[in-house]
Amino acid sequence: MEIYRTEDGKVTKYVHDDGSETSIKHAIAEDCGGNYGKVTNKFNVFISSSVGCPIKCKFCYLTMKKFPFRNLESAEIVSNVIDAIEDQVKVYPELKEKYVKLSWMGMGDPCINFMKTIDSTDMIIRYIIKQKLCKGIDGIDIGTTMPLTTDKGSILYGLELFNVFMLDFPRNPLRTAISPFRIFYSLHGTTSIRKDLIPKSMDLADAWMELHTIPPNQAKVIIHHMLLNGINDSDHDIKDLLKLMKHLTYKNDHQLRILRYNSCTNSPYVESTRFHEIIKQIHNNIPDVKVQASPGSEVKASCGMFLLGDSIG
Ligand code: SF4
């Protein structure tokens, strides 16, 4: 396993022998622009569900790099994550007094095999709590495109199981949500643009129906959307996005988050030059919209964007 740490030690990337990566990021008080808010009694672990990814989103670094895909078994995922957490806690023993957030936002899509994600999460949590490597659970974030292979009803079924498992574990007292789960759905387009950007994902209408079935006591649903120059940032695109969000009839406490694009070598995409103007327009219609730097902007490690950056060494 290769280990890369930022100079301030707040972010570490672990490159495992199988080629997949785990990143660990400490919450720090100043980091309240997006992911961490004021909850600083936690640390985040970004997990890869596979080596490479078969979804092949066109904006993803793995696709551009033609990173070879290999499925990982639960035992391999669990072992990778535990190796990373054990190293982290050895270097920063104070983390044992913090709560852990597990973010399935590394390589791969955790909904390709949601039951495997459940099993792996359960095994990781049981181990780290038994070994006293953390104080309890802050949350479980699942980033997904809703792959073509997603069985109808499988996500809700999995969440129901997941939430029962979670009753066994101590939760961060600073979190008030009933469920520790959040589903982050990668939208990035409301028309055929989405199918073009994320070819191996379910049609938007089908994915939308699945997301509608998830009640707030099972998971909060958050829509992730990037604004790419000349791709999905025309007036018409934004009108469609607003219309789609307006017609969301979730029982869920849904939320729209605009995700900053992590540009990378060879990418044909850049963030919209109209970014600020569009955010203003969205904000006028959806006042609680959030703009979020990718969780991996420092480690270049959000969903698929696992770059070995200059800032890490
Ligand atoms: S962005 Fe995520 S789902 Fe898409 S190809 Fe990359 S790792 Fe896979």
Side-chain angles (χ1 to χ4, degrees):
M1 177 170 75
E2 292 169 30
I3 303 173
Y4 302 85
R5 272 184 238 284
T6 51
E7 262 172 35
D8 65 5
K10 297 296 181 192
V11 179
T12 311
K13 181 200 283 270
Y14 298 88
V15 182
H16 304 288
D17 295 343
D18 57 25
S20 71
E21 300 176 357
T22 304
S23 292
I24 298 187
K25 183 174 178 179
H26 303 196
I28 46 179
E30 311 88 77
D31 188 7
C32 47
N35 301 303
Y36 298 97
K38 293 187 176 72
V39 178
T40 55
N41 64 343
K42 61 158 185 156
F43 61 101
N44 275 43
V45 181
F46 295 92
I47 303 173
S48 293
S49 52
S50 56
V51 181
C53 181
I55 302 290
K56 305 216 177 301
C57 302
K58 286 196 176 160
F59 49 80
C60 177
Y61 176 66
L62 296 175
T63 310
M64 277 169 255
K65 203 180 166 190
K66 296 192 170 50
F67 203 101
F69 165 69
R70 183 169 81 75
N71 194 25
L72 287 175
E73 300 299 329
S74 285
E76 295 175 289
I77 298 171
V78 172
S79 160
N80 286 342
V81 173
I82 287 174
D83 284 352
I85 295 178
E86 283 182 334
D87 172 80
Q88 193 70 192
V89 168
K90 201 157 54 175
V91 179
Y92 305 103
E94 65 272 21
L95 294 182
K96 289 184 186 177
E97 294 307 312
K98 300 207 170 197
Y99 294 85
V100 67
K101 172 162 280 185
L102 299 180
S103 298
W104 289 85
M105 293 186 179
M107 291 177 173
D109 189 316
C111 290
I112 289 175
N113 185 340
F114 198 50
M115 290 311 286
K116 184 174 78 178
T117 302
I118 294 173
D119 286 347
S120 308
T121 306
D122 186 49
M123 283 191 269
I124 293 165
I125 295 176
R126 281 185 199 283
Y127 182 88
I128 60 179
I129 287 186
K130 194 168 167 209
Q131 297 301 320
K132 300 190 170 36
L133 300 175
C134 68
K135 214 168 168 188
I137 303 308
D138 180 72
I140 318 286
D141 285 350
I142 294 160
T144 183
T145 59
M146 301 284 277
L148 268 176
T149 50
T150 312
D151 288 333
K152 207 171 163 205
S154 62
I155 294 188
L156 179 58
Y157 173 72
L159 283 169
E160 284 168 350
L161 276 180
F162 242 153
N163 275 294
V164 172
F165 289 161
M166 288 300 116
L167 296 174
D168 291 350
F169 308 120
R171 295 265 311 274
N172 188 343
L174 298 181
R175 299 288 185 194
T176 52
I178 300 169
S179 167
F181 295 100
R182 298 188 301 177
I183 303 280
F184 290 80
Y185 174 60
S186 301
L187 179 61
H188 312 319
T190 54
T191 57
S192 57
I193 291 166
R194 183 173 191 279
K195 199 70 193 160
D196 186 53
L197 287 173
I198 313 175
K200 303 234 173 105
S201 64
M202 285 166 88
D203 284 347
L204 176 57
D206 294 335
W208 222 235
M209 272 175 51
E210 282 299 300
L211 293 172
H212 270 74
T213 64
I214 300 171
N217 65 343
Q218 296 298 328
K220 180 172 176 125
V221 175
I222 295 170
I223 310 299
H224 259 166
H225 193 79
M226 289 187 297
L227 296 168
L228 301 175
N229 208 40
I231 303 292
N232 63 0
D233 65 341
S234 70
D235 288 342
H236 192 73
D237 293 326
I238 305 309
K239 210 169 137 196
D240 276 355
L241 172 66
L242 292 174
K243 202 162 128 197
L244 186 72
M245 293 307 300
K246 196 172 168 193
H247 290 136
L248 265 183
T249 52
Y250 282 6
K251 291 172 232 131
N252 212 317
D253 177 19
H254 64 276
Q255 188 181 61
L256 175 65
R257 290 196 188 179
I258 303 297
L259 189 63
R260 303 302 302 255
Y261 180 54
N262 273 348
S263 186
C264 54
T265 316
N266 297 331
S267 173
Y269 304 106
V270 287
E271 192 168 67
S272 174
T273 53
R274 301 180 59 216
F275 187 84
H276 295 287
E277 173 196 336
I278 293 172
I279 293 299
K280 221 169 151 186
Q281 189 187 347
I282 296 175
H283 185 257
N284 286 340
N285 289 274
I286 307 174
D288 68 344
V289 64
K290 279 196 177 174
V291 176
Q292 179 178 5
S294 154
S297 53
E298 295 90 343
V299 281
K300 311 255 188 222
S302 73
C303 187
M305 295 184 210
F306 271 77
L307 298 168
L308 290 174
D310 296 336
S311 60
I312 296 182

